[in-house]
Amino acid sequence: MNLATRCLCILVVAISFSTAFAQDTPVSVGSRLELFVDHSLIDRLDGVRLELHKPLLAENVLAFDKPWEGLFCGYVTVFMDGPLYRMYYRGLPEARKDGSDSEVTCYAESTDGITWTKPNLGLFESAGSKDNNIILAGHAPFSHNFSPFKDTKPGVPAAEQYKALAGTSETGLVAFVSEDGLRWTKRSDAPVITEGAFDSQNVAFWSESENEYVSYFRTWREGDFKGHRTVSRATSPDFFTWTKPEYMNFGDTPPEHLYTNQTAPYFRAPHIYIATAARFMPDRRVISAEKMKEIGGEASYSGDCSDTVLITSRGGFNYDRTFMEGFIRPGIGAGNWTSRTNYPARGVVPTGSETMSLYVQRNYGQVTHHLQRLTLRTDGFISINAPYTGGEAVTKPFTFTGKSLVLNYATSAAGSVWVEVQDAEGKAIPSFTLGDCDEIIGDEIERTVTWKGNADVSSLSGAPIRLHFKMKDADLYSMQFRP
């Protein structure tokens, strides 16, 4: 073996060792809530699997029935602002008027996320009256996809505590700011992001975990409106100066048209981003143009169909598509199988201690166009699911801070969950073994784990550990170490 070959071998070994060491380095979860929405913390699944949970249908919460709203309302945004729930959406009564002055931005609000009202704000005139819920008008094309958020960055000026991006490929994305979430001004006429198609809802937020603003917006995989509709991302320290956009990576999954991405930090675990994306199936016709007319719709919006998929991210330029299956299916009824219906609103919000809500547009392009609420249990997007025959899951090594371990879980009457704490090498730690664990049975958002009646794990705080879950006919949604 010559010297060059020997040096190359040593380099390969060194790289392999450093990679292995990096993979084995325990991640610090601190005392934050961790959801089992991906394989980030999972080392091994034996007889169990990740399971996608489908939202339950609830009531229709908003009819797009005002003259300035109409058949082509869209791009809905929902978020909590203290005790108030805020909703923003595009009003557009006429087909093929995208980007015109026919578009306005409308506003609704709620105190519980269930019953919504459209306040008469008196800000803009429509059909000779200011008796309406319009918060932006005469700003073509920015009402086309105006998507606000409440800025949670520490120290943000009061006059800019609400922000939004809006625009098209002709204008770029322009930054808007507001003090009250109702009266908006451009921060500047110049766009802040210029590279992108932007022909969709383009979203942004302050990322607590990444300590910067992030924006996710429409691009096309082959550029110039060719290939698949996809998502790119840019970041900013101040919301006004942005990095060069980069395509999001979807891993080893087939490309699909993602019409909206709706990426937002999960309200209980903001380091995890939840994206309820609209999956668009162009030219996949389910109903005829004649049927579309029959149900009171625009015939030209009958040739495609769409649904909602669940995508997650922990920051950076990677999306996780563990599940390609539909998250929200169109459902029964011809009206839900038309073009551009079933688009989800941006935002998942708490509507009780045990439930959370999300919203989806139904019957797009039809006189019955409306917004429907759906519900999930808190943290209930995805779980580690064990069948009746049972199975086990083991985490990767991690460190924590806290005194007790709390689980969000559910079992059948015959099911159970047990938890063992192991060292980084996988050896059970005395007093925290499966045999010591008190059986966990029931259905609770917060259940403190005990071992022979003892919940105190503070002696292990800061040390690398693994968790070993033994489960039977059960679901495990999330975990958290509490102070």
Side-chain angles (χ1 to χ4, degrees):
M1 181 183 295
N2 60 37
L3 180 60
T5 302
R6 185 174 300 170
C7 290
L8 179 60
C9 290
I10 293 173
L11 179 60
V12 170
V13 171
I15 292 174
S16 300
F17 178 80
S18 62
T19 301
F21 180 79
Q23 290 174 343
D24 291 337
T25 301
V27 64
S28 172
V29 304
S31 58
R32 67 176 181 245
L33 179 74
E34 289 292 346
L35 277 63
F36 294 107
V37 294
D38 54 25
H39 290 83
S40 179
L41 284 178
I42 297 172
D43 184 43
R44 178 171 59 86
L45 299 175
D46 184 8
V48 300
R49 65 187 180 96
L50 291 183
E51 179 169 314
L52 177 67
H53 294 270
K54 307 299 179 67
L56 300 177
L57 301 180
E59 68 285 319
N60 299 335
V61 295
L62 204 73
F64 299 121
D65 55 1
K66 299 298 183 183
W68 54 89
E69 295 176 343
L71 278 62
F72 306 98
C73 283
Y75 298 150
V76 181
T77 295
V78 177
F79 61 85
M80 278 198 74
D81 185 11
L84 191 67
Y85 295 75
R86 296 181 182 267
M87 180 188 297
Y88 302 82
Y89 56 97
R90 176 187 72 198
L92 179 59
E94 302 176 82
R96 293 174 291 280
K97 292 291 185 179
D98 295 18
S100 72
D101 279 333
S102 296
E103 293 181 310
V104 296
T105 301
C106 305
Y107 173 81
E109 61 187 28
S110 172
T111 57
D112 59 8
I114 300 170
T115 301
W116 292 83
T117 60
K118 302 174 183 178
N120 293 320
L121 300 173
L123 298 177
F124 292 93
E125 184 176 303
S126 177
S129 172
K130 288 188 176 182
D131 190 14
N132 58 59
N133 63 328
I134 297 172
I135 57 113
L136 197 70
H139 282 73
F142 303 112
S143 278
H144 177 63
N145 51 16
F146 195 76
S147 186
F149 68 97
K150 178 71 175 288
D151 191 349
T152 57
K153 180 181 179 180
V156 65
E160 298 180 355
Q161 63 178 328
Y162 300 90
K163 292 183 171 66
L165 293 176
T168 64
S169 58
E170 289 76 21
T171 64
L173 293 184
V174 173
F176 286 75
V177 296
S178 172
E179 184 170 1
D180 62 3
L182 301 175
R183 297 160 182 82
W184 294 84
T185 59
K186 290 181 185 177
R187 184 62 156 69
S188 170
D189 288 330
V192 294
I193 302 177
T194 57
E195 296 182 46
F198 311 130
D199 54 325
S200 179
Q201 188 172 356
N202 310 289
V203 303
F205 57 91
W206 169 256
S207 171
E208 175 185 313
S209 59
E210 297 186 78
N211 197 38
E212 60 187 349
Y213 293 96
V214 295
S215 178
Y216 296 80
F217 48 88
R218 161 71 66 76
T219 49
W220 287 70
R221 180 55 63 183
E222 296 177 15
D224 197 26
F225 300 90
K226 296 178 181 178
H228 285 83
R229 295 166 174 84
T230 191
V231 184
S232 290
R233 180 181 119 131
T235 64
S236 171
D238 57 10
F239 195 68
F240 310 115
T241 304
W242 292 84
T243 59
K244 181 180 177 62
E246 294 184 34
Y247 285 117
M248 290 298 293
N249 173 36
F250 294 86
D252 187 21
T253 60
E256 294 186 308
H257 286 277
L258 297 179
Y259 211 99
T260 61
N261 71 78
Q262 309 300 40
T263 308
Y266 178 50
F267 63 91
R268 278 169 49 92
H271 66 291
I272 298 174
Y273 308 158
I274 299 296
T276 51
R279 174 168 56 185
F280 183 57
M281 307 297 292
D283 302 320
R284 187 170 172 83
R285 179 183 290 275
V286 177
I287 70 169
S288 65
E290 291 72 24
K291 181 65 175 178
M292 183 66 156
K293 290 181 181 178
E294 182 184 317
I295 62 178
E298 171 70 30
S300 61
Y301 282 83
S302 64
D304 320 295
C305 63
S306 54
D307 60 9
T308 299
V309 293
L310 180 68
I311 304 171
T312 63
S313 177
R314 291 176 180 262
F317 294 91
N318 294 313
Y319 273 136
D320 185 285
R321 291 212 64 183
T322 295
F323 293 95
M324 300 295 293
E325 293 80 8
F327 181 52
I328 302 174
R329 292 180 176 179
I332 296 174
N336 289 330
W337 291 92
T338 60
S339 184
R340 293 164 172 79
T341 196
N342 309 311
Y343 282 14
R346 179 176 184 253
V348 178
V349 294
T351 46
S353 61
E354 299 173 354
T355 61
M356 54 190 187
S357 296
L358 55 161
Y359 308 83
V360 65
Q361 291 176 240
R362 301 295 198 186
N363 299 6
Y364 185 85
Q366 302 161 55
V367 293
T368 52
H369 189 199
H370 63 276
L371 193 72
Q372 183 179 24
R373 186 173 74 98
L374 299 92
T375 66
L376 280 171
R377 73 178 287 137
T378 300
D379 304 343
F381 303 104
I382 295 170
S383 71
I384 299 176
N385 171 263
Y388 182 85
T389 52
E392 300 178 345
V394 179
T395 69
K396 297 174 183 177
F398 66 88
T399 61
F400 73 91
T401 56
K403 294 182 179 179
S404 61
L405 172 62
V406 175
L407 302 182
N408 182 342
Y409 78 103
T411 77
S412 72
S416 298
V417 177
W418 292 269
V419 186
E420 177 175 87
V421 186
Q422 303 177 341
D423 62 22
E425 286 69 43
K427 183 179 179 181
I429 297 175
S431 300
F432 298 99
T433 68
L434 288 175
D436 295 318
C437 184
D438 298 312
E439 183 180 19
I440 301 168
I441 178 172
D443 190 333
E444 301 171 86
I445 303 299
E446 296 185 354
R447 169 68 173 264
T448 300
V449 182
T450 58
W451 293 265
K452 292 184 177 179
N454 176 37
D456 189 357
V457 294
S458 59
S459 62
L460 306 176
S461 182
I465 65 162
R466 297 175 186 260
L467 291 181
H468 174 198
F469 298 101
K470 183 179 178 182
M471 304 168 60
K472 174 183 177 180
D473 200 4
D475 289 283
L476 180 61
Y477 300 95
S478 65
M479 68 176 197
Q480 185 176 20
F481 288 89
R482 298 283 179 83

